[in-house]
Amino acid sequence: MRFRVERDVLAEAVAWTARSLPSRPPVPVLAGLLVEADKTGLTLSGFDYEVSAQVRVDAQVEEPGRALVSGRLLADISRSLPPQPVSVTTEGPKVLLVCGSARFALLTLPVDEYPTLPELPHVTGTLPSGLLATAVAQVAVAAGRDDTLPVLTGIRVEIEGDTVTLAATDRYRLAVRELTWHPEQPGLSAVSLVPARTLADTAKALTGIETVSIALSTGTAGEGLMGFEGQGRRTTTRLLEGEFPKYRALLPSESSAVATVDTAVLVEAVKRVSLVAERNTPVRLTFAAEELQLDAGTGEEAQASESLPCTLDGEPLTIAFNPHFLLDGLSAIDAEVTRFSFTAATKPAVITAGGTGEAAGPAPYRYLLMPVRLSG
Amino acid sequence: MALSVWEHLVGQDRAVVLLQQATRAAAEIVAGTGPGAAMTHAWVITGPPGSGRTTAAEAFAAALQCPAGGCGTCHSCTTARDRTHADVEVVRPVGMHHRVDHMRELVRRAALSPAGGRWQVVVIEDADRMEGTSQDWRAANALLKAIEEPTPRTVWVLCAPSLEDVLPTIRSRCRHIGLATPPVAAVADVLVRRDGIDPTMAAFAARAAQSHIGRARRLATDEGARLRRAEVLRIPTHLSGVGPCLTAAANVVEAAQEEAATVTGPLDAAETAELARALGQGSSRGLDGRGRAQLKDLEKDQKRRATRIQRDVLDLALLDLLGFYRDVLAVQLGAQVELVNTDVERDVRAVARASTPERTLQRIDSVTACREQIAGNVAALLAVEALTVTLR
């Protein structure tokens, strides 16, 4: 193998691929970055068995070939190279990297032992990368973290024509986000469950690309992969199998009371009041016509309370929430004003961005939060 | 020419037929051309140590991934053999047990779809060694959840000495493949064919190892292993007083440690070198903190493994001793069976003349008791000393 490549092109490609390398490789070859040169250019690949990442860049290839080298070392080296073209050559068991007057000889790993990377499924549609990253981050907060319930660690992705719905729940809260995208074919319908952590990481890693193509294998059970592609970069993620809870039935269709509060003021107040809320104890919210009162702590322990202005349309009520879950929702809605919709103090409340009235149709992002039952 | 994945199994024709049927059925499911009734999501492979439980499980795993049902030559088969295939995971206990946190993490991974679009296979070696107590099988119960609610394309293959070693609730959800003790001739044959060992040596090693394939290969290729075995077999004729008994016990335990070191030493060094290279050592710059931490973790795991291997090797030595008394009993009862230890037949006959079948049975019981003690964490030297004194 022998090729020449621009320094910045190499550094950027290596850095992007190296992101997906496992921090603790289950087998040593996975710490490697696969470098493949063919007539049309250079491909760099990384894989951790769950997520694969591949970049294709231009290079002058004099002799095609492939080699596996330590990904972290290559990333460190290419980051610190002088601004001159880089030439890479295999020589026996080593890879020589020359840039200006700097020379590196890297040991190679057994390339034949490197596993086959998953194939990218067919592209099914496109959307802006920023929208994808925001939407995924909004939903991922509600995903479960318990390994023994794998289904709840995923984000459900439902595609119905030009609408994509993302949903995640850990049984205590549910986050749902709807967005529009550009499907390849009209009338497309598909459902899959993607590990939340990897989807969030992937969406973040793709923000440098303007438009992301999403590829989804629509085959039968077990063939599930989701792929993302754009500007020569592509990644695949293995999907989760299993039955996701029927969440649509949980979203109340109407509400008996609606309150709006300034988001930033409420976030600060919840943070303060919850300082006295011990682990797993709730913060109580009492909504009245023009005032929201927060309090936490019980008679025999430390207590805190604070009140702030709000508007309420409906009967006053007192409801209690886990403060962390409440804060997750408040930061995810990303709006100046937060709107709470209630049916009863013992039923889940829906948090949405304040500006969206019922007249404007359902909000694109909804965060459903289970109340904590108040004793006595 | 490379062997198909099945040819690494010795004397297991019946099991191979069953697993090949399952492989064909699995291919039907992948292609969507049939119901694939001979395939299921959970298997238990049982058989005596050395019969090739893990080999069978790995062959099955490789065959499920291979478009040709286990050709042994394609990239899928070779990466399965090198244990780097994305959809084949072989889980072995790091220390004495499978830890519960490892099992929980495994349950999450098992819920993923396969990377290659066929099957995700999880092989659990030594499934009898699960963390927990008889009141609370924590590691096994974590696993049970995943086997109870199977993911469509995940296959579990558990390896254990016998069905009784697997929790009943797990066992009842698995299909069972029993491996037989392979015939001595078959083991000798594979040593000649695969490892290029001289036929006479192969025949001796296969018989002396009582068909334990790995042990037979070791005896055939490692002179030190043969010497250590001879040392163990000297015990029955050299127990004249308490002094010699204690010396004999010390020799056996020391020999086991030595033998374990010959196994773990090169393995440890190779693993450490490979990981260090993967982390980027061996170039302009040393390892950073994270890399060093990983190497340290590897070292810890290697230490735990060394303890387990030492114990396993000592158990094999005790099996040699058991084989000796088995021969003694066969001679005493005039049984028409082939002796295991033909190379020390004179000693076998001498011990047979000097004792009674009842005494031999007692001795066999004490060897068995000693094996149980060592498995139960009794200090090895104490247990073996107690044994040699009772064998006197």
Side-chain angles (χ1 to χ4, degrees):
Chain A
M1 184 177 71
R2 184 192 297 273
F3 64 86
R4 278 167 79 80
V5 60
E6 287 305 314
R7 183 254 177 223
D8 289 349
V9 171
L10 178 73
E12 209 180 309
V14 169
W16 192 79
T17 318
R19 287 177 66 130
S20 69
L21 294 178
S23 57
R24 290 188 167 257
V27 291
V29 288
L30 288 194
L33 207 139
L34 185 65
V35 182
E36 290 171 293
D38 59 31
K39 280 178 204 139
T40 56
L42 179 67
T43 307
L44 300 175
S45 318
F47 189 29
D48 72 355
Y49 284 151
E50 284 187 37
V51 176
S52 78
Q54 205 166 59
V55 191
R56 223 176 137 68
V57 292
D58 289 334
Q60 284 170 266
V61 179
E62 286 159 35
E63 193 188 314
R66 54 195 221 130
L68 188 63
V69 292
S70 168
R72 284 178 41 207
L73 186 58
L74 187 62
D76 287 351
I77 290 175
S78 52
R79 199 172 31 233
S80 49
L81 289 175
Q84 285 176 47
V86 185
S87 88
V88 177
T89 324
T90 44
E91 208 175 273
K94 290 194 174 177
V95 166
L96 293 184
L97 189 149
V98 180
C99 178
S101 58
R103 290 172 58 87
F104 293 91
L106 307 181
L107 295 175
T108 56
L109 302 166
V111 69
D112 291 339
E113 289 180 19
Y114 199 72
T116 310
L117 294 185
E119 281 172 41
L120 193 75
H122 292 295
V123 169
T124 48
T126 57
L127 81 171
S129 68
L131 176 61
L132 176 70
T134 315
V136 168
Q138 281 182 319
V139 174
V141 289
R145 286 172 183 84
D146 180 1
D147 282 347
T148 52
L149 282 169
V151 168
L152 296 186
T153 63
I155 292 179
R156 181 174 163 98
V157 180
E158 294 174 0
I159 296 170
E160 204 59 65
D162 60 1
T163 306
V164 179
T165 310
L166 307 176
T169 177
D170 63 0
R171 290 182 297 183
Y172 307 107
R173 58 254 175 88
L174 162 72
V176 183
R177 169 72 202 246
E178 279 179 13
L179 54 98
T180 8
W181 76 325
H182 309 288
E184 291 280 298
Q185 304 158 345
L188 177 77
S189 170
V191 169
S192 52
L193 188 61
V194 196
R197 220 181 312 153
T198 51
L199 184 58
D201 288 347
T202 302
K204 227 183 282 168
L206 291 169
T207 45
I209 298 166
E210 217 160 277
T211 304
V212 178
S213 304
I214 294 188
L216 192 59
S217 54
T218 45
T220 51
E223 292 168 3
L225 281 177
M226 193 178 252
F228 302 86
E229 194 177 20
Q231 290 173 19
R233 298 174 177 190
R234 51 196 268 185
T235 97
T236 62
T237 300
R238 285 163 71 179
L239 301 180
L240 282 163
E241 300 284 348
E243 196 66 29
F244 193 76
K246 297 206 177 0
Y247 69 93
R248 284 185 197 277
L250 302 173
L251 292 164
S253 50
E254 46 197 37
S255 55
S256 62
V258 174
T260 50
V261 195
D262 183 287
T263 311
V265 173
L266 179 57
V267 166
E268 289 306 310
V270 171
K271 279 184 185 163
R272 271 192 294 273
V273 169
S274 63
L275 288 175
V276 300
E278 278 187 60
R279 244 169 72 86
N280 299 328
T281 62
V283 168
R284 290 178 296 277
L285 286 76
T286 306
F287 288 91
E290 287 178 350
E291 189 187 70
L292 162 60
Q293 172 155 349
L294 305 182
D295 56 309
T298 52
E300 289 168 14
E301 289 147 9
Q303 283 171 285
S305 67
E306 184 163 344
S307 55
L308 49 146
C310 79
T311 61
L312 177 70
D313 178 9
E315 287 298 301
L317 90 165
T318 298
I319 192 164
F321 296 120
N322 173 317
H324 303 292
F325 295 171
L326 177 59
L327 286 171
D328 281 345
L330 292 175
S331 47
I333 57 160
D334 189 29
E336 278 175 33
V337 178
T338 300
R339 177 188 163 97
F340 288 85
S341 309
F342 306 104
T343 44
T346 52
K347 296 269 173 61
V350 180
I351 302 177
T352 51
T356 50
E358 259 148 39
Y365 179 65
R366 283 169 287 175
Y367 186 85
L368 180 91
L369 182 55
M370 285 294 291
V372 178
R373 195 162 301 202
L374 288 168
S375 51
Chain B
M1 207 199 93
L3 301 172
S4 96
V5 295
W6 304 109
E7 284 170 72
H8 295 284
L9 276 167
V10 180
Q12 307 296 353
D13 301 346
R14 206 181 63 89
V16 168
V17 168
L18 288 172
L19 291 174
Q20 281 176 333
Q21 277 170 4
T23 305
R24 279 193 294 274
E28 267 178 30
I29 297 174
V30 170
T33 54
M39 181 60 189
T40 187
H41 75 287
W43 300 78
V44 177
I45 298 183
T46 63
S51 56
R53 297 182 302 239
T54 310
T55 312
E58 287 196 87
F60 185 37
L64 288 175
Q65 305 302 343
C66 172
C71 65
T73 50
C74 66
H75 190 243
S76 167
C77 282
T78 58
T79 47
R81 182 198 62 209
D82 296 333
R83 298 196 171 159
T84 60
H85 196 293
D87 288 327
V88 178
E89 180 165 4
V90 180
V91 187
R92 43 179 47 141
V94 174
M96 298 307 293
H97 300 287
H98 287 288
R99 280 171 35 195
V100 61
D101 47 338
H102 289 179
M103 285 297 135
R104 291 201 179 126
E105 167 58 24
L106 195 59
V107 167
R108 188 194 72 83
R109 281 205 299 277
L112 292 172
S113 57
R118 294 181 71 90
W119 303 91
Q120 172 175 213
V121 189
V122 185
V123 174
I124 302 194
E125 233 180 53
D126 295 331
D128 51 317
R129 290 172 165 171
M130 287 282 174
E131 185 182 343
T133 62
S134 52
Q135 278 80 46
D136 174 19
W137 293 110
R138 289 184 300 150
N141 280 328
L143 189 63
L144 174 63
K145 282 190 77 135
I147 293 181
E148 252 177 341
E149 290 165 19
T151 306
R153 287 293 181 80
T154 298
V155 181
W156 297 89
V157 187
L158 277 55
C159 304
S162 74
L163 271 183
E164 285 67 37
D165 293 313
V166 180
L167 209 61
T169 41
I170 291 183
R171 201 197 303 161
S172 64
R173 290 172 168 84
C174 298
R175 214 171 281 176
H176 176 220
I177 299 277
L179 299 185
T181 304
V184 170
V187 174
D189 181 55
V190 80
L191 292 184
V192 174
R193 265 190 312 124
R194 193 174 56 190
D195 303 302
I197 289 161
D198 165 70
T200 324
M201 174 60 87
F204 155 76
R207 190 166 344 98
Q210 300 177 58
S211 291
H212 187 303
I213 299 163
R215 172 117 177 102
R217 187 183 310 133
R218 181 140 272 271
L219 280 177
T221 52
D222 179 0
E223 162 133 47
R226 289 197 291 276
L227 288 176
R228 285 186 287 270
R229 169 175 170 273
E231 179 78 33
V232 169
L233 295 181
R234 267 161 44 89
I235 293 177
T237 49
H238 289 77
L239 298 174
S240 47
V242 173
C245 284
L246 297 186
T247 315
N251 287 345
V252 170
V253 173
E254 207 174 296
Q257 280 165 356
E258 252 174 53
E259 179 150 356
T262 63
V263 178
T264 55
L267 198 59
D268 290 357
E271 279 176 357
T272 308
E274 197 182 4
L275 182 63
R277 193 157 44 135
L279 295 174
Q281 203 187 39
S283 55
S284 61
R285 167 197 93 126
L287 286 174
D288 60 2
R290 206 154 50 137
R292 276 198 298 274
Q294 275 184 58
L295 279 178
K296 202 164 267 173
D297 283 355
L298 177 68
E299 218 171 277
K300 260 189 236 158
D301 288 351
Q302 287 172 340
K303 238 176 227 159
R304 290 200 198 102
R305 180 177 61 193
T307 313
R308 191 185 75 225
I309 290 182
Q310 257 178 36
R311 216 177 265 197
D312 289 353
V313 170
L314 187 57
D315 193 59
L316 285 178
L318 292 173
L319 278 177
D320 284 343
L321 201 54
L322 208 54
F324 184 93
Y325 286 116
R326 172 247 184 223
D327 285 351
V328 171
L329 191 63
V331 170
Q332 285 172 331
L333 300 177
Q336 297 301 312
V337 291
E338 213 179 324
L339 294 189
V340 172
N341 301 290
T342 44
D343 52 329
V344 287
E345 193 172 340
R346 254 186 36 196
D347 288 353
V348 169
R349 294 200 178 275
V351 173
R353 272 194 305 278
S355 67
T356 60
E358 290 79 7
R359 180 68 190 124
T360 307
L361 282 173
Q362 279 170 5
R363 283 171 166 156
I364 286 175
D365 282 348
S366 358
V367 178
T368 309
C370 180
R371 290 180 64 201
E372 279 166 11
Q373 282 163 1
I374 288 170
N377 234 350
V378 172
L381 185 59
L382 279 179
V384 179
E385 280 175 353
L387 171 66
T388 51
V389 171
T390 45
L391 288 180
R392 186 160 56 108

